[in-house]
Amino acid sequence: MTEKVKSGSRNVAIVGPYLSGKTTLLESLLFVTGAITRKGNVKDGNTVGDSAAESRERKMSVEVSAASTEYNDVRFTFIDCPGSIEFAQETYNALMGVDAAIVVCEPITDRVLTLAPLFKFLDDWEIPHIVFVNKMDRANIHVLDTLHALKAVSSRPLVAHQYPIMRGEELTGFIDLVSEQAYQYHPGAPADPIPFPEHLKEEEHIARAEMLEALANFDDHLLEELLEDIEPPQEEILKDLKLELGADLVVPVFFGVAELDYGVRPLLEAIWREAPEPETTAERRGIQVNHNTPLAQVLKTFYTPQGGKLSLVRLWSGKLTDGAVLNGVRAGGIYRLCGQQQNSINEVGAGEIVALSRMEGIITGDILTSESSPKPQLPKAPALEPVYALAITPEKRNDEVKLSSAITKLMEEDPSLAWEQHGDTHEVILWGQGEIHLQVALDRLRRKYNLPMNTHLPQVPYKETIRKATTSVHGRYKHQSGGHGQFGDVFLEIKPLARGEGFSFKETIVGGVVPKQYIPGVEMGVREFLAHGPLGFPVVDVGVTLTNGSYHNVDSSEQAFKQAARLAMQTGLPQCEPALLEPILRIQVSTPNEFTSRVLQILSGRRGQILGYEGIHDWQGWDSVIAYLPQAEMQNFIVELRSQTLGVGSFHWEFDHLQEVPEKLTERILISSGNGNGNGSK
Ligand SMILES: Nc1nc2c(ncn2[C@@H]2O[C@H](COP(=O)(O)OP(=O)(O)OP(=O)(O)O)[C@@H](O)[C@H]2O)c(=O)[nH]1
Ligand SMILES: [Mg+2]
């Protein structure tokens, strides 16, 4: 298909807290621009944004979805991002490739904190953004209070771009603060100009003055005009809005009702007029736009329900034509997306977001160039650490072999998933960002790869150690079976080592009472035994010395000495006061400081040891709490943390050390692991 040349393009992410109306806004944007002729809605599961089965089923977005449309001769590609914090990686990856973002939120003042991590990301990366206060058909707080609350969570100044006209809790129109023209909304039609509503004069003046003052902070000429009471020309205000939005210096605010298309056209008009062009974005990212050399970045990987692979890329530079070869891989096709609908095109120019098919071996975040050119570095959203785990086993035993290739594909789609086969517990553990995140991954395994899974809570990789030494434990292995017998005989000393030292093996054999060639067998026997100590777990921090023994000329062998060593360990280790050890994590929790005391309580309630807390230096109002937390207490920690912090608390973790399990817990752990005989660590 050959297309008429557009005068430009804009790529805009639609982001914001969970259920704020992003997918509904996308539907409305596509409708008012004519990309779709009938609007779907989230409840009926027929929106463009939530067309993936996993999103439809849950009535929430669980992955990004791209849709291209046209407005005033400019190609717009919107990326509808999931709001749930568990899918934040999707949002962050997409944001790296857009020219601007629309932050959709609700007019609920005590929930604005949920915007804080997003605002921080946008400001850290200087991504121009506009706020769209949605659901203004149910706004039971005053507009100025909404603005005030929003300002408190943004490090950049928020400026109202319009002043809403309300009837009770319902939005009926708006005053454009640049032109001071008032408009009345109508269902299913563009807004009409109306006379200025005099009763709003005072409030409108306050909002307009604030907007102009915020803009003047970055424009001396405008500042002079304001000081001299000169009315600035509209073109000057619009020019400043464009420049300052483009440099992420100010954040314009709009109001609307996405479900009724109210406020959607003014929003679109503002993005069209004020959002930076793709070349400006490339320049700000330090990318040399070279018209000959393609440079693209993968923002998302999809495996479609039919099994095909699609890589959503931002083309920063150059152009792509059908059959282009990037990083040595030939693209199967170039597509503009509208949710799951793929429209094939022959060619695409710099500044657009399109999908490439069959880019085998290419994963999200990859930088793509034509074969010959050296690859420049482009910033990449940091990968989120997994904070929630489930152990999984295929429902059908034979499926085990298929599992790793399916999970690898899932991880190509979603880099915030991880998996491991645990060395101690032998479980396959799926790691992710929360319960829903993992449920979606399991749904995909079942639906796309026909791999239904059973899940259970992962076992804690406990270890055990000893508290006391024992001298000279004897192990003798003697076996006579027909011809050639077996004989091994050893004396071992077992002692505890300092925490973290692991295992050591020594020998003090004199006079060849245990011949040299059999000593490795003794060590092997000891090591094998230590894989499952008397409490049922791997034993660590133990030193064993082979002190004495005897052998038989004919019947001795390495194998026989191995058995003798095992027998000695079996007798000796229970005499050494075995003790259970649990992994302790060092965690760093980030939380709004109004919730810090709750976080401390949660940690103490989970046997955590608080090491300290302080304000985060580049994040006003947020604290960082450092603590030791037993791994056994981590399972639902993220769930509780989020429930106590409006969903925004997060944490980093790393293994720190092993520590003895408190006596009163040991017995419970041993019984539930099926290893204990109820006699605790004694
Ligand atoms: N009253 C009202 N409800 C709305 C409006 N916009 C969306 N909704 C409803 O809000 C709910 C969530 O809408 P979505 O569009 O799925 O929100 P979202 O932000 O995409 O949600 P996630 O992607 O899951 O974070 C749905 O039930 C919508 O019908 C609006 O303007 N007014
Ligand atoms: Mg959505």
Side-chain angles (χ1 to χ4, degrees), residues 524-584:
M524 217 185 298
V526 170
R527 281 186 186 272
E528 275 183 16
F529 180 81
L530 291 179
H532 287 280
L535 306 180
F537 300 99
V539 190
V540 294
D541 302 338
V542 172
V544 175
T545 310
L546 168 67
T547 54
N548 205 347
S550 63
Y551 71 103
H552 189 279
N553 268 339
V554 179
D555 292 345
S556 280
S557 65
E558 190 172 318
Q559 189 58 26
F561 272 92
K562 187 170 126 183
Q563 294 301 341
R566 286 184 70 103
L567 290 172
M569 292 300 289
Q570 212 166 6
T571 316
L573 219 59
Q575 299 166 12
C576 300
E577 278 191 20
L580 197 61
L581 293 176
E582 63 176 339
I584 303 291

